[in-house]
Amino acid sequence: MTLEPVDPALVPQRMVSGGAKMPAIGLGTFGSDHVPAERVAAAVYDAIMLGYRHVDCAAVYGNEHAIGESLERVIADGVRRDELWITSKLWNDNHDPSRVAPALERSLRDLRLDYLDLYLVHWPFPNTHQPGVDVGSRDSHAQPYRHERYMATWAELEKLVERGLVRHIGTSNMTIPKLRLVLSDAHIPPVANEMELHPHFQQPELFEFVRANGMVPIGFAPVGSPARPERDRTPDDSVDVEDPVIVGIARRHGVHPAVVCVKWAIRRGQVPIPFSTTPANYHANLRAAAGEPLGDADMAAMAGIDRNCRLIKGHVFLWKAGQRWEDLWDLDGTITPP
Ligand SMILES: NC(=O)c1ccc[n+]([C@@H]2O[C@H](COP(=O)([O-])OP(=O)(O)OC[C@H]3O[C@@H](n4cnc5c(N)ncnc54)[C@H](OP(=O)(O)O)[C@@H]3O)[C@@H](O)[C@H]2O)c1
């Protein structure tokens, strides 16, 4: 089946603090520890040729070297670098100030770029894990969030902006109390916060806080991450694409429920970054972004199905015995004490 390219000009854009424009949908590239780098990279090439202009990468996904070949090819094939929005992320083992610039330089080399549009601190904790680990795995050197240490990392990201190696910097997996501190202490404030956002996990308070403070909410797991790693699955997790409201809207529009999730995200104002290596699916998601927005009645129905169901709970980043995953997320509005 030949897929018709989508004119990138039809995809809405989000204004970023400072005046740049971020395409309102990006292609995710985390293969959930099981999709080979080459398959993800092939999707990146094809998706850009179909009209995507935004790609969400990260060093820890282990595929930036392969994605770099695809980026080089699309540029050789005529896509201008300045039409693309490429994000990458600093992994947790590189928070030490001396490691930030080398980590970014490695991502740039792998991605075959001379600058990034956005560089995020992937998690607020300097705690790591190997690919494919199970839910009980812990870093024996795991640490709690320490604001002074986070800001020392952030200061290095600010230097990368000053050096022209990254255009914008942002946060990921943050909470309101942590963001409040970062916003008050940063010289260059974050322009975006990447956060889990799907119909069953709408995070209204954090979403509004992010927007009210001039940041773009970038929504990961927008389709409910049906292929996420085992460590991120618990029996209570709900399945967005099986929700009767979403299924009903999808039937009426003649689309897959995943497409409804994408349309909902875009109309709500976040930037979804659905992962897909299936051409018909990533094409459908792009068309969803470029086409008719979801109507008011559908948006109202979707607002009513939030289940506060976090899927990427982050157990592997806990720092001491006896903790619950909720301790990572500052649920009482204060940063969980060390
Ligand atoms: N900042 C962070 O800490 C963080 C955490 C998690 C994820 N992320 C980013 O967010 C991206 C997206 O999250 P995710 O990959 O966990 O989950 P997701 O995008 O919600 O779900 C991806 C899954 O949905 C399927 N899918 C996508 N579009 C579809 C469609 N139109 N119809 C049917 N199925 C569809 C894909 O299958 P096919 O491949 O077969 O289409 C894939 O299995 C990641 O790839 C990564 O870039 C960031």
Side-chain angles (χ1 to χ4, degrees), residues 37 103 312:
I312 311 302

Side-chain angles (χ1 to χ4, degrees), residues 175 177 308 310 324-334 336:
T175 61
N308 195 25
R310 188 187 289 280
R324 302 172 320 144
W325 63 263
E326 287 87 344
D327 292 327
L328 297 167
W329 301 105
D330 306 336
L331 297 187
D332 70 356
T334 59
T336 304

